[in-house]
Amino acid sequence: MIIGYARVSTDDQSLDAQTDALTAAGAGKLFADKISGSKRERPELDRMLEQLRDGDVVTVTKYDRLARSLKDLLEIVETIRERGAGFRSLAEDIDTTTPAGRLVFHVFASIAQFERERISERTREGLEAARKRGRIGGRPPALTVAQIAEVRRMRDSEQRAVSEIARLFKVSERTVRRVPTVP
């Protein structure tokens, strides 16, 4: 079955052009959301994905109706594939039910993977350069050395409750528990 998915970002936009095109493309069932594409939680999209059966083809007028980013698009299309269905975008002429469509889609996936790896590489290079300049990355410690000693004393010697100590120092109970005991 051809299943159509349409989306507009706001309530004052019309879904008519998309639903007309999807119906003309043979969609037997339509799902539509009026919500920003940047939101991953979309009720009708989720409902559609849950109902997919083997052999269904999810069809959109343009792939940006399904997802705002290539990463999200790849994740959603992978979910569609895992359910045994195909994906088709009318404007971009992508159809993962055909060998050529799968090739085009895999080229997109490869480019997205390359970009993720480049971002990771640039991040590592930046951190390494910062370390060479004496900067240490990461979050600053929640407690100073003096505060750690006081937490240890209150917890181990005075036997105060972890929750009380956490409240006094305005940190989480986990932070208090992670302070090592004196050997």
Side-chain angles (χ1 to χ4, degrees), residues 116 118-119:
R116 280 192 300 276
R118 285 290 299 138
I119 289 168

Side-chain angles (χ1 to χ4, degrees), residues 13-118:
Q13 292 176 312
S14 173
L15 290 160
D16 293 344
Q18 290 179 61
T19 56
D20 290 348
L22 293 168
T23 302
K29 201 170 198 181
L30 291 173
F31 294 86
D33 280 311
K34 286 193 173 191
I35 192 167
S36 170
S38 63
K39 305 267 190 244
R40 180 53 190 94
E41 301 298 319
R42 289 180 262 156
E44 288 296 295
L45 174 62
D46 294 338
R47 197 164 72 86
M48 178 194 70
L49 292 173
E50 288 171 10
Q51 294 181 17
L52 286 178
R53 295 181 315 221
D54 207 32
D56 288 344
V57 178
V58 174
T59 303
V60 295
T61 55
K62 293 173 61 176
Y63 71 81
D64 70 351
R65 300 297 86 204
L66 192 60
R68 279 284 191 212
S69 72
L70 186 55
K71 178 182 176 278
D72 287 343
L73 177 66
L74 294 172
E75 287 174 4
I76 294 168
V77 172
E78 178 60 19
T79 300
I80 292 168
R81 188 196 63 75
E82 287 170 354
R83 301 245 161 87
F87 168 71
R88 182 173 173 218
S89 175
L90 301 175
E92 291 83 16
D93 200 25
I94 295 173
D95 184 349
T96 64
T97 64
T98 68
R102 282 191 296 278
L103 172 66
V104 170
F105 192 76
H106 285 114
V107 168
F108 276 172
S110 297
I111 291 168
Q113 177 65 32
F114 172 74
E115 185 55 28
R116 280 192 300 276
E117 289 173 6
R118 285 290 299 138

Side-chain angles (χ1 to χ4, degrees), residues 134-152:
R135 295 196 47 172
I136 298 172
R139 177 191 265 172
L143 298 168
T144 65
V145 173
Q147 288 173 324
I148 290 171
E150 184 63 14
V151 164
R152 184 179 293 127

Side-chain angles (χ1 to χ4, degrees), residues 142-143 147-148 150-151 154 164-171:
L143 298 168
Q147 288 173 324
I148 290 171
E150 184 63 14
V151 164
M154 293 171 82
E164 178 188 357
I165 299 169
R167 227 181 6 265
L168 286 169
F169 286 91
K170 296 182 177 144
V171 295

